[in-house]
Amino acid sequence: QITLKESGPTLVKPTQTLTLTCSFSGFSLRTTGVGVGWIRQPPGKALEWLALIYWNEDKRYNPSLKSRLTITKDTSRNQVVLRITDMDPVDTATYYCGQFNSMTAMHWGQGTPVPVS
Amino acid sequence: SSELTQDPAVSVALGQTVRITCQGDSLRSYFPSWYQQKPGQAPVLVIYGRNIRPSGIPDRFSGSNSGNTGSLTITGAQADDEADYYCNSRDISGYHPVFGGGTKLTVL
C-alpha cells in the first residue's frame, strides 16, 4: 500500500522560507521511473504543480516559481523536501505531495494547509 | 492561466452520461490524466494513459483523446460522482506537468 504524508509549519510569516517534508511508504525512489512531486491548491482555486524529483535526481520546477523552489530527496529515509523562499500571503494554500509516474500523480498525500500571515 | 482549459461547471441528471473536456495543444501528443476531488479531500486519480483506470475506480469512468481535446466520460452518473475534476498532462514543452483549471460536476 502506497502512502504519502506531508508535514510542515502550521503558519508562515511573509518573507519567511517554507520547508515541507513528504514522508512516504510502499515504494522507493530508487525505482526507475518513479518521482515525487508537490502540488498546491489555494482555497477555492485550482491545483498548481510546483516541483518534481525523479529517481535519477532529475528535477523539474514550475517555470513561474522556479527561482523560489528547491526540491531534494533522502532516498534512505523515504522523504522528499520542498523549500519555498520569500513566502507571501498569495502562497496560502493546501500543499500536497504525490507519487509520480512520468507526469501523472498516481497517489496523493492528504495535504497540509499552510496559511501565510 | 493554465495551458489546459476546462469548462468551469457541468451538470448531469442522475444516471445519465456526461463528458468533461480538457483542451490544450500538448494533448495532440500526450494523453491527459484525470483526477476527482471531493470537498475537503485530496484528489484521486481516476484515468491515466490510454484510458487506464487505477484499481478501485468504477468502469463507468472512461477517457478518450481527439486532436487537442481530452475527455473524461462518466456513463450512468451517480450522486457520489459529484465533485471537481481536473485534467493534467505535460506543458507544451513536454518538460513539466500542468493541471487544468478544473470542472465542477453537479449531479441533479
Side-chain angles (χ1 to χ4, degrees):
Chain A
Q1 181 188 5
I2 291 175
T3 64
L4 304 100
K5 187 171 185 179
E6 307 85 352
S7 59
T10 55
L11 179 65
V12 174
K13 296 184 186 307
T15 76
Q16 286 186 334
T17 294
L18 170 65
T19 299
L20 294 168
T21 300
C22 177
S23 301
F24 57 86
S25 63
F27 68 96
S28 172
L29 260 176
R30 292 189 177 91
T31 302
T32 299
V34 171
V36 172
W38 289 90
I39 307 102
R40 70 180 180 182
Q41 186 173 38
K45 295 189 177 181
L47 302 169
E48 179 183 33
W49 168 73
L50 299 176
L52 181 52
I53 187 166
Y54 289 106
W55 86 103
N56 59 356
E57 284 285 350
D58 182 8
K59 301 175 184 179
R60 312 283 174 97
Y61 294 105
N62 184 317
S64 66
L65 294 164
K66 183 176 181 178
S67 64
R68 299 173 54 206
L69 303 176
T70 303
I71 190 169
T72 58
K73 65 181 178 74
D74 185 332
T75 304
S76 61
R77 298 181 65 184
N78 283 349
Q79 290 183 333
V80 169
V81 173
L82 178 72
R83 290 185 174 83
I84 308 177
T85 62
D86 194 23
M87 291 290 285
D88 184 272
V90 299
D91 297 311
T92 293
T94 294
Y95 287 77
Y96 298 98
C97 67
Q99 184 222 32
F100 277 72
N101 182 337
S102 184
M103 301 283 169
T104 294
M106 305 296 290
H107 302 274
W108 296 65
Q110 64 191 19
T112 184
V114 179
V116 183
S117 178
Chain B
S1 63
S2 175
E3 295 184 28
L4 297 177
T5 302
Q6 298 183 242
D7 292 328
V10 171
S11 62
V12 61
L14 185 67
Q16 296 303 299
T17 296
V18 63
R19 179 173 292 181
I20 299 169
T21 61
C22 175
Q23 288 188 306
D25 286 342
S26 65
L27 301 186
R28 297 184 186 279
S29 304
Y30 305 104
F31 292 105
S33 299
W34 291 93
Y35 307 86
Q36 177 192 70
Q37 186 181 34
K38 297 180 180 178
Q41 298 183 20
V44 172
L45 179 68
V46 295
I47 291 288
Y48 68 102
R50 191 189 296 267
N51 191 23
I52 301 171
R53 280 178 289 106
S55 174
I57 301 301
D59 61 5
R60 64 178 179 273
F61 290 89
S62 63
S64 61
N65 229 33
S66 178
N68 73 336
T69 301
S71 299
L72 173 70
T73 299
I74 307 174
T75 304
Q78 303 299 304
D80 188 53
D81 299 334
E82 188 162 286
D84 293 328
Y85 290 85
Y86 292 91
C87 61
N88 115 274
S89 186
R90 297 172 183 254
D91 68 1
I92 195 61
S93 75
Y95 198 68
H96 306 112
V98 64
F99 285 88
T103 297
K104 182 176 181 61
L105 176 66
T106 300
V107 180
L108 304 171

